[in-house]
Amino acid sequence: MKPLHALSLALCLAAGPALADALPSWNSGDAKARITDFVASVTDPASPDYVTPAARIATFDNDGTLWAEKPVYFQFLFAIDRLREMAAADSSVLSTDLLRAAAEGDMETVAAAGEEGLLEIVSTTHSGLSVEAFVAEARAWLQEARHPQSGMAYDAMIYQPMLELLRYLRDEDFKTYIVSGGGLHFVRAFSEEVYGIPPEQVIGSTGNASYAVIDGVPTVTKDPGIFFLDDKAGKPLAIEARIGRRPIFVGGNSDGDFEMLEWATAGEGPRFGLIVHHTDAEREFAYDRDSHVGRLGRGLDEAEARGWLLVDMARDWARVWPGE
Amino acid sequence: MKPLHALSLALCLAAGPALADALPSWNSGDAKARITDFVASVTDPASPDYVTPAARIATFDNDGTLWAEKPVYFQFLFAIDRLREMAAADSSVLSTDLLRAAAEGDMETVAAAGEEGLLEIVSTTHSGLSVEAFVAEARAWLQEARHPQSGMAYDAMIYQPMLELLRYLRDEDFKTYIVSGGGLHFVRAFSEEVYGIPPEQVIGSTGNASYAVIDGVPTVTKDPGIFFLDDKAGKPLAIEARIGRRPIFVGGNSDGDFEMLEWATAGEGPRFGLIVHHTDAEREFAYDRDSHVGRLGRGLDEAEARGWLLVDMARDWARVWPGE
């Protein structure tokens, strides 16, 4: 054996696990190579693109980026189920035509009410109880509820390639955050167990809240009304307020993530923007610019020019679900 | 040497640095012992009070807890200096009687305007520029401005015993946060350098903000108006929203910290509440229930019954400032 070969072998043996494929559910190709090349360049102290661990911030949208979002946002299905349960206990909760329509499953009326209608239903079903009680409700629902088409538990409809990406980034000393248009407490109900992302690294939309000592117990209560919508321009604002640094790695799937991608990738130094493009009608769903959830138009048009990676789910992912 | 002695010696040698005094600026006595006993009990895996590292959350107020706050909050002195600078460039900024009085140094009028007046001055001087530009302004001010009585730089008027406490907790795998009534971006301007607390672990009051692409540059701008006041009941609400876990160690100094202490120490398992009592007119300032800043009345009355440690600055601290 020549000395150089012996050295290579020794290095390979020493490096061992680091050389294992960190992204086994990503097909070999441009998408996977761009991700691993970027991570290699920012983590190699000898690279001109080296980034210190403290600045390795990665943020990901949730609905449509880390888990599925069809036929509608899963949190909305939780809200409808919870509305029915609340109405069964006390029908006076159905105080508007919209709430009555929602409880009856009249989704046409609900859809016609648009985002405002959605927020009314979420606000009604996500208030009047302590944060702890709400999180317990969300967890109980996730245990029992099943997706109308796949029959899977909702928190099993997460994307295996994205789980691997999260773990890979953390192994390379990135701090991974969720930045979701969905509700903060709803996402926290499963983020740690499912994604390995602790509560302090979840950013989401929030309702009003109040603090009071109730029957001797200091309690944070979820109140009606929306306090902050973590969507579109709200995402960079929330990241700035919560993290105080621009992420160097950002992942999204819809135009609701556009501003987050735009702001993060405009920062100095190396940046990586990623958009999950839902191209896989067979294994998941195929949709983009004409979808009522997860609409992707501008991001699709501008990704290439902006240097963002457009992940083609059908082409780039060897599998979709962890249970496959 | 008897076997047990040999073992003790070996353990001492092995433990080495851990046995060094982590809190050299705290006088020996009850306060110091209570802190170190608590930390020992929650970090010892064999203790019934053991807490996993992930749950070792510690939150501290800033003004009066980590740095001084007399004669008034330092951020307010920054706001006045900045108002004068803004007025020198464009006098139209002095659009109200209060702002004119503040720029002229008429502190009686300013004081008479109470909290609302203070917020008007802060809002005026903390808006109309990007977050980055604001932080640069705050840093430049901290470099140049000097305290009217001590002649010290403001960020030198930090409490050495509290710096040691922060470091000690971090060495014991606590995650240390600031939860300040002061402005998020003002505190971030020095928190990492001065306290070793990174931007994502600073919670503070926030003004309105907006996101826009300005001259091709994606920018987060500080706008007029208060978005969230991180004081009193706002503190537990902000901690819940930002961290999502109840701290097990909390430090404050005024009744603005009461709800944070109350909520945190009501959690299950071991909890530590600490109040810095300003008893030291010689080395710092002496004030509590009658002070217009850092008023401490209820906390003083209830600390003992609630099991919170009341730190007597004059008695418990061997030194106050790092530069001493």
Side-chain angles (χ1 to χ4, degrees):
Chain A
M1 199 180 273
K2 287 180 187 169
L4 203 63
H5 287 170
L7 182 66
S8 302
L9 182 66
L11 283 173
C12 287
L13 289 172
L19 293 176
D21 186 354
L23 302 173
S25 300
W26 291 72
N27 289 321
S28 296
D30 178 59
K32 182 170 178 166
R34 279 174 66 182
I35 293 171
T36 54
D37 286 353
F38 176 83
V39 172
S41 77
V42 298
T43 55
D44 175 5
S47 156
D49 285 338
Y50 178 72
V51 174
T52 59
R56 291 183 206 156
I57 304 289
T59 60
F60 291 89
D61 168 58
N62 183 46
D63 293 306
T65 300
L66 299 181
W67 77 355
E69 60 183 348
K70 287 276 185 181
V72 289
Y73 302 123
F74 296 170
Q75 186 181 359
F76 186 67
L77 299 172
F78 163 66
I80 298 280
D81 283 350
R82 193 165 146 67
L83 182 65
R84 288 187 178 132
E85 209 172 273
M86 289 167 75
D90 175 6
S91 62
S92 73
V93 72
L94 303 177
S95 57
T96 68
D97 288 342
L98 177 70
L99 293 173
R100 279 186 289 275
E104 284 161 16
D106 169 7
M107 289 303 141
E108 256 179 73
T109 301
V110 170
E115 185 178 286
E116 214 173 301
L118 190 145
L119 292 180
E120 181 182 332
I121 294 164
V122 168
S123 173
T124 302
T125 53
H126 288 49
S127 64
L129 73 179
S130 74
V131 167
E132 290 87 348
F134 175 83
V135 169
E137 291 282 337
R139 285 191 178 140
W141 181 81
L142 285 167
Q143 283 282 324
E144 286 167 27
R146 292 296 176 266
H147 190 273
Q149 285 147 284
S150 73
M152 292 161 74
Y154 290 103
D155 58 3
M157 293 183 71
I158 52 180
Y159 305 135
Q160 175 63 23
M162 297 304 282
L163 288 183
E164 291 168 10
L165 178 55
L166 289 173
R167 201 173 304 127
Y168 172 48
L169 291 172
R170 289 196 293 263
D171 284 347
E172 298 291 342
D173 291 330
F174 280 73
K175 212 163 168 180
T176 55
Y177 287 81
I178 291 174
V179 180
S180 174
L184 174 72
H185 298 124
F186 182 76
V187 177
R188 274 187 185 155
F190 59 92
S191 65
E192 186 146 33
E193 200 186 320
V194 169
Y195 303 130
I197 294 183
E200 64 267 34
Q201 283 159 232
V202 177
I203 300 174
S205 295
T206 46
N208 291 318
S210 57
Y211 172 81
V213 179
I214 300 170
D215 297 332
V217 180
T219 305
V220 174
T221 300
K222 289 173 75 69
D223 294 330
I226 302 298
F227 181 67
F228 181 77
L229 269 186
D230 189 38
D231 196 30
K232 302 188 176 76
K235 293 201 174 194
L237 292 176
I239 295 170
E240 196 293 308
R242 287 277 305 266
I243 310 179
R245 312 187 210 246
R246 282 196 220 207
I248 67 164
F249 197 110
V250 249
N253 79 300
S254 80
D255 285 348
D257 304 313
F258 191 90
E259 287 84 352
M260 171 169 77
L261 282 152
E262 176 183 62
W263 179 67
T265 59
E268 276 175 38
R271 307 275 160 166
F272 201 92
L274 176 157
I275 294 176
V276 174
H277 188 197
H278 292 263
T279 52
D280 196 332
E282 231 164 272
R283 296 183 300 178
E284 205 240 6
F285 305 96
Y287 59 97
D288 47 47
R289 61 182 81 244
D290 298 320
S291 176
H292 70 291
V293 289
R295 190 186 171 281
L296 178 67
R298 191 174 174 198
L300 203 55
D301 296 335
E302 300 188 16
E304 197 183 333
R306 290 175 178 270
W308 300 341
L309 173 65
L310 212 49
V311 173
D312 181 329
M313 196 184 270
R315 183 194 61 198
D316 295 328
W317 287 2
R319 62 174 178 160
V320 174
W321 316 115
E324 248 172 77
Chain B
M1 198 181 276
K2 287 181 185 166
L4 202 63
H5 287 171
L7 182 65
S8 303
L9 182 67
L11 283 173
C12 287
L13 290 171
L19 292 176
D21 185 355
L23 302 173
S25 300
W26 291 72
N27 289 321
S28 296
D30 178 58
K32 182 170 178 167
R34 280 174 64 182
I35 293 171
T36 53
D37 286 354
F38 176 83
V39 172
S41 77
V42 299
T43 55
D44 175 5
S47 157
D49 286 338
Y50 178 73
V51 173
T52 59
R56 290 182 206 159
I57 304 288
T59 60
F60 291 89
D61 169 58
N62 183 46
D63 293 306
T65 300
L66 299 181
W67 78 353
E69 60 183 349
K70 287 276 186 180
V72 289
Y73 303 123
F74 296 170
Q75 186 181 359
F76 186 67
L77 299 173
F78 163 66
I80 298 281
D81 283 350
R82 192 164 146 70
L83 183 65
R84 288 186 178 133
E85 210 173 89
M86 289 167 75
D90 176 6
S91 62
S92 73
V93 72
L94 303 178
S95 58
T96 68
D97 287 343
L98 177 71
L99 293 173
R100 278 186 290 275
E104 283 161 15
D106 170 7
M107 289 301 141
E108 259 179 69
T109 301
V110 170
E115 186 178 287
E116 212 172 303
L118 191 146
L119 292 181
E120 181 182 332
I121 293 163
V122 168
S123 172
T124 303
T125 54
H126 287 50
S127 64
L129 73 180
S130 73
V131 167
E132 289 87 349
F134 175 84
V135 169
E137 291 282 337
R139 284 190 179 142
W141 181 81
L142 285 167
Q143 281 283 323
E144 286 168 26
R146 291 297 176 267
H147 190 273
Q149 285 146 283
S150 73
M152 292 161 75
Y154 290 102
D155 58 4
M157 293 183 71
I158 52 179
Y159 305 135
Q160 176 63 23
M162 297 303 283
L163 288 183
E164 291 168 9
L165 178 55
L166 289 173
R167 203 173 303 126
Y168 172 47
L169 291 172
R170 288 195 294 261
D171 285 347
E172 298 290 342
D173 291 330
F174 280 73
K175 212 163 167 180
T176 55
Y177 287 81
I178 290 174
V179 180
S180 174
L184 173 72
H185 298 124
F186 182 76
V187 177
R188 274 187 186 157
F190 58 93
S191 65
E192 185 146 31
E193 201 186 320
V194 169
Y195 303 130
I197 295 183
E200 64 266 35
Q201 282 158 235
V202 177
I203 300 174
S205 294
T206 46
N208 292 318
S210 57
Y211 172 81
V213 179
I214 300 171
D215 297 333
V217 181
T219 305
V220 175
T221 301
K222 288 173 74 70
D223 293 331
I226 303 297
F227 181 67
F228 181 77
L229 269 186
D230 188 38
D231 196 29
K232 302 187 177 75
K235 292 201 175 193
L237 292 176
I239 295 170
E240 196 293 309
R242 286 278 303 268
I243 310 179
R245 313 188 210 247
R246 283 195 220 207
I248 67 163
F249 197 111
V250 249
N253 79 299
S254 79
D255 285 348
D257 304 314
F258 191 90
E259 287 85 351
M260 171 169 76
L261 283 152
E262 175 183 61
W263 178 67
T265 58
E268 276 176 39
R271 306 277 161 166
F272 201 92
L274 176 158
I275 293 176
V276 175
H277 188 195
H278 293 263
T279 53
D280 195 332
E282 231 165 88
R283 296 183 300 178
E284 205 241 4
F285 305 96
Y287 60 96
D288 47 45
R289 62 181 80 243
D290 298 321
S291 177
H292 69 291
V293 290
R295 189 185 171 282
L296 178 68
R298 191 175 174 197
L300 203 54
D301 296 334
E302 301 188 19
E304 198 183 332
R306 290 176 178 269
W308 300 341
L309 172 66
L310 211 50
V311 173
D312 181 330
M313 197 185 269
R315 183 194 60 199
D316 295 328
W317 288 1
R319 62 173 178 159
V320 175
W321 316 114
E324 248 173 79

